[in-house]
Amino acid sequence: MPAGFQELTGGRGFVGRLETGSDLVDEIERFCAEHDVLAAQVVVIGAVRHARYAYYEQDDHRYLELDSATHHEIVGFVGNISLRDDRPFLHAHATFADAVGATVGGHLLRGTEVFAAEVMIREITGVTLVRTPDEATGLALW
Ligand code: ZN
């Protein structure tokens, strides 16, 4: 196994739908906090009324925040839960498609408003994922 990899085991699984008008990031993090999900894989399918996402500028080590009030389908969403500041933290990247199929996407930000969202959370056990500052990237990584 390559250095830095850990073998995981599967834990609990959760599936549910988020309310229209809710915040996609906040609701997933809140659910995980309430159910003591400290590490997980997260998948979402649905649509948003407002998308907020970011592009990480690798040379400058800062996020360029992007915002689209257009209604979009969520056509891709991959995320994980780990611990940051002792709380479950969602790191997700999402792709959003508009009425002509054009896509935008990036690092998902708080402020993305749900129209409809089916969420699947697969808890990961047997590993501890804690985000700490990484000097080479400027990111908080596990
Ligand atoms: Zn990211």
Side-chain angles (χ1 to χ4, degrees):
M1 194 178 307
F5 277 64
Q6 305 173 69
E7 184 171 349
L8 61 84
T9 51
R12 298 168 294 170
F14 301 91
V15 60
R17 188 166 65 83
L18 301 184
E19 286 184 25
T20 302
S22 63
D23 185 294
L24 186 55
V25 174
D26 283 347
E27 290 304 307
I28 292 170
E29 287 184 344
R30 182 164 62 182
F31 179 89
C32 290
E34 286 174 358
H35 294 82
D36 291 322
V37 177
L38 308 181
Q41 178 180 28
V42 182
V43 176
V44 179
I45 185 168
V48 298
R49 288 172 164 167
H50 190 127
R52 290 195 66 241
Y53 47 94
Y55 172 81
Y56 191 67
E57 296 185 313
Q58 297 178 18
D59 290 336
D60 297 338
H61 288 191
R62 65 187 182 95
Y63 281 104
L64 172 64
E65 295 193 0
L66 301 163
D67 188 291
S68 175
T70 307
H71 293 176
H72 285 99
E73 300 287 333
I74 303 170
V75 296
F77 184 113
V78 60
N80 61 60
I81 293 289
S82 60
L83 288 176
R84 185 171 184 176
D85 300 326
D86 297 322
R87 293 183 50 78
F89 171 82
L90 173 67
H91 181 207
H93 288 192
T95 310
F96 302 101
D98 70 12
V100 296
T103 56
V104 293
H107 175 94
L108 185 66
L109 296 177
R110 221 170 287 284
T112 295
E113 184 183 341
V114 169
F115 177 70
E118 298 170 350
V119 179
M120 297 185 75
I121 298 170
R122 286 275 177 202
E123 185 183 33
I124 293 166
T125 55
V127 297
T128 304
L129 301 179
V130 179
R131 291 192 178 277
T132 55
D134 177 68
E135 197 174 325
T137 63
L139 294 165
L141 302 175
W142 41 257

